[in-house]
């Protein structure tokens, strides 16, 4: 894998304009990783843009002090193309959505991922399914390049690993995840501030909604399945928006013995969004 | 500090009967640390008992498979005394409560702590205020003694550090906390199982109570102070007990901008329990 890092570092040396992108509706790992990668590339004297399709959730805005991340949807007339493109956490190029329009003939594509369903697209594919998170791979790449991580970049990578491991809880909470976390704290990442920004930053409306959901929690199959249900009328009464429900499906698994949790968000008479979570090895994506 | 560890290891060698105790109403750090310490001492051929005043919360019972921890209150007629006593996480001997009755003339006391208010009582005092948790000190002691930590003991120490750092969030989430965590995972601790046991193990009644609290959250001083209020009647209606409210004060700080959170538990007409939490440097113990 060291060899692959060297190939990437060489490709960066000869590049002039670099695009960083990731999957639709970027998450914490993707956002933190993109920003850290941009920090290194900018300090290497490159022209760099981060463009995704989909806005970044407000809880991650603190990572992007310079407002570097652009939303393709709200910047449709982008007359810009890059000679090198980093595609992060995508199984294939389709997952970057409309951003694909920015790829020109001859652009070199670097594919970085830690998921096993990656199709190894691109000119250089670095797929490490043992890595704790994409943030772990970016940490490895930046340190391999001899780059000095400052507090800002340490914070971005800590947030990436923290969110992807579910606050050091999911099965990707490997010794590597905690060892890199320790190094990032040494470099200035502040676990309290980062946790507060991401997990202790709810609106009053959002907490009331959570209260409503928990008070009305329903169980099924001897408590192995738990349901949280929100209807449109309640959302309007509590003055909450779609973003206020983000992550709430996790609370369906707070119940002792719950193996599968479901959040039903009733959007209108004909449409209901269903979010699923499973506790152990139950594969909800197979449903 | 290495010198102190050696003194403790020497004291253990010459001891025959060893008592491990900690403060009233033991918490996760104290429970995990006591059990890990007992594992080492038992494997060193000693007669060992853990006796505290106060029951251990049910969420920590999985750490004590052998039901080794005894509650002084429910075993009053203890006709037993030790020649060596480990006192964990206590500022002074008063904090072990009734367990003090088990100290006999000439018992050697070892005082292990990481809090700055420790009064350095005992024959050997090891107080490391830089340690991430008592679990970190016990990890250091056991590895200094050349003891091989198995999965069970790694789990106990991981739980100790995890709970004392507030899931790797509080200011004691030092690089050491994560580095030791990484080692404990290598030794068999399973972050997912441990987190699920401690944090995703609520009763239905307890979740309904949390729902009620959040739905009725009140704020004060421009949202800087948030209140959660439970009265006796609601507790009876929701069929919840005192234990179901444990840790709920933390939710008062989920609100964006909240600096101080308060949980009022109204016990009867004349008594209300007040629990406080602060977000940053606000010292609620000064109130």
């Amino acid at each position: 894998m060291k060899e692959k890092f060297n190939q990437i570092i060489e490709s960066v040396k000869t590049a002039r304009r670099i695009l960083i992108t990731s999957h639709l509706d970027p998450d914490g790992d993707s956002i933190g990783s993109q920003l850290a990668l941009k920090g290194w590339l900018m300090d290497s004297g490159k022209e760099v843009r981060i463009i995704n399709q989909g806005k970044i959730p407000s809880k991650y805005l603190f990572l992007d002090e310079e407002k570097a991340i652009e939303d393709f949807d709200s910047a449709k007339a982008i007359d810009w193309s890059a000679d090198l493109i980093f595609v992060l956490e995508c199984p294939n190029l389709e997952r970057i959505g409309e951003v694909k329009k920015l790829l020109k003939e001859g652009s070199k594509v670097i594919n970085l991922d830690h998921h096993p369903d990656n199709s190894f697209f691109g000119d250089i594919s670095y797929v490490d399914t043992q890595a704790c998170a994409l943030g772990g791979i970016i940490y490895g790449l930046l340190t391999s390049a001899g780059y000095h991580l400052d507090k800002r970049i340490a914070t971005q990578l800590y947030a990436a690993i923290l969110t992807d491991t579910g606050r050091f809880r999911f099965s990707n909470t490997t010794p590597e995840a905690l060892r890199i976390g320790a190094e990032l704290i040494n470099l200035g990442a502040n676990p309290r501030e980062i946790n507060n920004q991401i997990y202790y930053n709810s609106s009053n409306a959002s907490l009331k909604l959570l209260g409503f959901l928990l008070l009305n929690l329903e169980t099924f199959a001897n408590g192995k399945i738990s349901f949280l249900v929100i209807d449109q009328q309640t959302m309007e009464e509590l003055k909450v928006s779609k973003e206020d429900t983000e992550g709430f499906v996790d609370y369906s698994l707070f119940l002792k013995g719950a193996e599968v949790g479901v959040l039903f968000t009733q959007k209108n008479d004909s449409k209901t969004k269903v979010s699923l979570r499973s506790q152990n090895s139950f594969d909800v994506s197979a449903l």
Side-chain angles (χ1 to χ4, degrees), chain A:
Chain A
M1 297 300 229
K2 185 79 187 157
E3 175 58 30
K4 281 275 171 81
F5 277 161
N6 288 338
Q7 285 176 29
I8 297 168
I9 294 163
E10 285 308 309
S11 300
V12 165
K13 278 185 186 155
T14 55
R16 205 165 53 88
R17 299 210 292 190
I18 303 177
L19 168 66
I20 302 171
T21 188
S22 187
H23 53 80
L24 302 171
D25 299 325
D27 59 8
D29 190 19
S30 143
I31 291 161
S33 295
Q34 291 186 89
L35 289 165
L37 187 56
K38 179 170 188 276
W40 167 53
L41 296 173
M42 294 286 284
D43 284 345
S44 306
K46 310 297 169 182
E47 185 185 331
V48 189
R49 285 174 79 171
I50 303 176
I51 305 174
N52 299 308
Q53 187 179 354
K55 278 175 72 175
I56 79 173
S58 63
K59 63 184 169 184
Y60 299 127
L61 286 175
F62 77 104
L63 295 173
D64 186 17
E65 282 177 9
E66 295 167 3
K67 297 186 175 37
I69 299 182
E70 299 171 68
D71 175 6
F72 186 86
D73 288 330
S74 37
K76 281 240 161 87
I78 294 174
D79 181 22
W80 188 83
S81 62
D83 40 302
L84 184 63
I85 299 160
F86 278 93
V87 180
L88 273 49
E89 284 211 301
C90 289
N92 51 55
L93 262 182
E94 299 311 308
R95 283 284 285 157
I96 64 175
E98 298 280 316
V99 179
K100 215 177 157 185
K101 291 177 182 163
L102 299 181
L103 268 69
K104 66 173 184 193
E105 197 71 40
S107 312
K108 191 168 187 175
V109 171
I110 297 177
N111 160 21
L112 295 181
D113 198 7
H114 66 117
H115 294 101
D117 61 348
N118 191 287
S119 65
F120 294 88
F121 65 90
D123 299 290
I124 301 176
S125 274
Y126 183 98
V127 180
D128 181 0
T129 57
Q130 303 300 306
C132 59
L134 190 71
I137 293 175
I138 301 296
Y139 175 85
L141 176 63
L142 270 51
T143 49
S144 286
Y147 181 63
H148 172 73
L149 280 65
D150 63 11
K151 176 181 172 160
R152 185 178 45 110
I153 289 179
T155 301
Q156 290 157 349
L157 290 178
Y158 194 93
I161 295 170
L162 182 75
T163 55
D164 209 57
T165 57
R167 300 180 70 186
F168 298 125
R169 172 176 162 242
F170 301 151
S171 54
N172 55 338
T173 307
T174 55
E176 180 209 29
L178 293 189
R179 271 198 304 267
I180 295 176
E183 285 306 313
L184 295 173
I185 297 171
N186 267 332
L187 292 164
N190 183 321
R192 179 160 210 145
E193 281 174 17
I194 297 168
N195 273 278
N196 283 355
Q197 289 280 0
I198 300 174
Y199 300 108
Y200 293 79
N201 217 349
S202 299
S203 67
N204 206 324
S206 168
L207 284 182
K208 283 194 191 306
L209 173 62
L210 178 59
F212 174 87
L213 287 171
L214 294 177
L215 202 54
N216 294 289
L217 180 101
E218 287 174 46
T219 61
F220 193 66
N222 288 324
K224 286 187 181 160
I225 303 176
S226 77
F227 292 127
L228 299 170
V229 185
I230 325 170
D231 59 85
Q232 197 59 39
Q233 196 193 329
T234 307
M235 288 184 73
E236 281 164 20
E237 277 171 24
L238 294 171
K239 297 189 181 67
V240 291
S241 63
K242 186 190 147 206
E243 194 178 304
D244 291 317
T245 69
E246 214 217 294
F248 279 5
V249 63
D250 289 340
Y251 287 92
S252 63
L253 292 181
F254 271 48
L255 193 68
K256 184 174 185 160
E259 291 179 13
V260 179
V262 192
L263 171 66
F264 293 102
T265 316
Q266 189 205 335
K267 304 209 163 199
N268 54 44
D269 287 345
S270 62
K271 256 180 133 176
T272 296
K273 184 185 169 194
V274 181
S275 311
L276 290 162
R277 281 285 185 285
S278 71
Q279 190 68 278
N280 299 309
S281 53
F282 192 95
D283 182 8
V284 290
S285 66
L287 289 179

